[in-house]
Amino acid sequence: MSHLKQLLAHHNVTVNEDFFEKVEHYKTLLEKWNKIHNLTGAKTRQQIDQFIVDAVIPITFLPPLKKAMDIGTGAGFPGMILAIAMPQTHFTLVEPLSKRASFLQFVKADLGLSNVDVKALRAEQVKSEPYDLITSRAVTDTDMLLKLSEPFCTEGTLLLFYKGEKVYDEVNKTLDYTIIEAENRHYLLIKR
């Protein structure tokens, strides 16, 4: 646990103490399920810790939010990790692959996360309603993410896309956006 605490401290990320307890449990479940179902490319505890840090860095710059949606949550990055770190925000995790959605549902139940809903659907199949925040990591390019997010946007919705260095090539200059750079990640924050 101290390795993760050091990583978060290095990035000035402050979380509640129960975050570490829940995340340790999440990591144990992920390792167990990953052996059978190959849910994520992160195979070691150190890699998983890096993915967790990558997922929660945005809490250093996000405002308080009521409702968030994560498109293509996969094994829980970033949506499940953000939901653990932001218990006051209700997260809808959208994941079309049934083995990953089943894992997310199991984690939700096992950790008692009342602020999480799992939708075993593609984003295009989810009922349209407004969200304060829409996140996505490693799903598709920015233009496609904007199209997928459109039914869930209202004035003031924040879009947070976890990107690599190519983000500068993908971003449309007419958007109201900021790019926040971290060591291994570029966070594209767009305001609607």
Side-chain angles (χ1 to χ4, degrees), residues 16 18-27 29 73 75-76 78-93 103-118:
N16 293 334
D18 76 329
F19 172 83
F20 294 102
E21 189 180 311
K22 286 182 173 158
V23 161
E24 282 303 309
H25 192 70
Y26 165 83
K27 289 190 323 192
L29 293 172
T73 305
M80 183 63 80
I81 304 303
L82 285 172
I84 295 169
M86 302 166 68
Q88 75 287 1
T89 304
H90 188 275
F91 278 83
T92 300
L93 309 182
F103 170 71
L104 296 170
Q105 197 65 49
F106 187 84
V107 170
K108 170 196 166 158
D110 216 40
L111 296 182
L113 299 175
S114 58
N115 66 323
V116 171
D117 275 330
V118 178

Side-chain angles (χ1 to χ4, degrees), residues 95-190:
E95 175 50 53
L97 283 180
S98 60
K99 65 181 180 180
R100 289 180 179 156
S102 296
F103 170 71
L104 296 170
Q105 197 65 49
F106 187 84
V107 170
K108 170 196 166 158
D110 216 40
L111 296 182
L113 299 175
S114 58
N115 66 323
V116 171
D117 275 330
V118 178
K119 304 276 188 201
L121 300 167
R122 296 175 59 80
E124 301 91 328
Q125 299 169 307
V126 177
K127 185 175 85 88
S128 173
E129 62 178 290
Y131 286 85
D132 303 319
L133 173 70
I134 299 169
T135 61
S136 190
R137 174 187 173 272
V139 172
T140 186
D141 65 51
T142 301
D143 284 342
M144 187 61 187
L145 285 171
L146 289 169
K147 283 188 188 98
L148 290 172
S149 302
E150 200 55 46
F152 312 106
C153 289
T154 187
E155 190 178 337
T157 296
L158 295 174
L159 304 172
L160 175 62
F161 302 147
Y162 290 58
K163 293 291 188 177
E165 293 170 1
K166 292 188 176 151
V167 66
Y168 293 100
D169 303 331
E170 285 186 18
V171 74
N172 178 333
K173 304 294 184 228
T174 63
L175 296 168
D176 179 4
Y177 73 93
T178 308
I179 295 173
I180 298 102
E181 293 185 22
E183 282 172 32
N184 304 312
R185 173 71 60 204
H186 292 70
Y187 301 93
L188 174 59
L189 187 64
I190 300 168

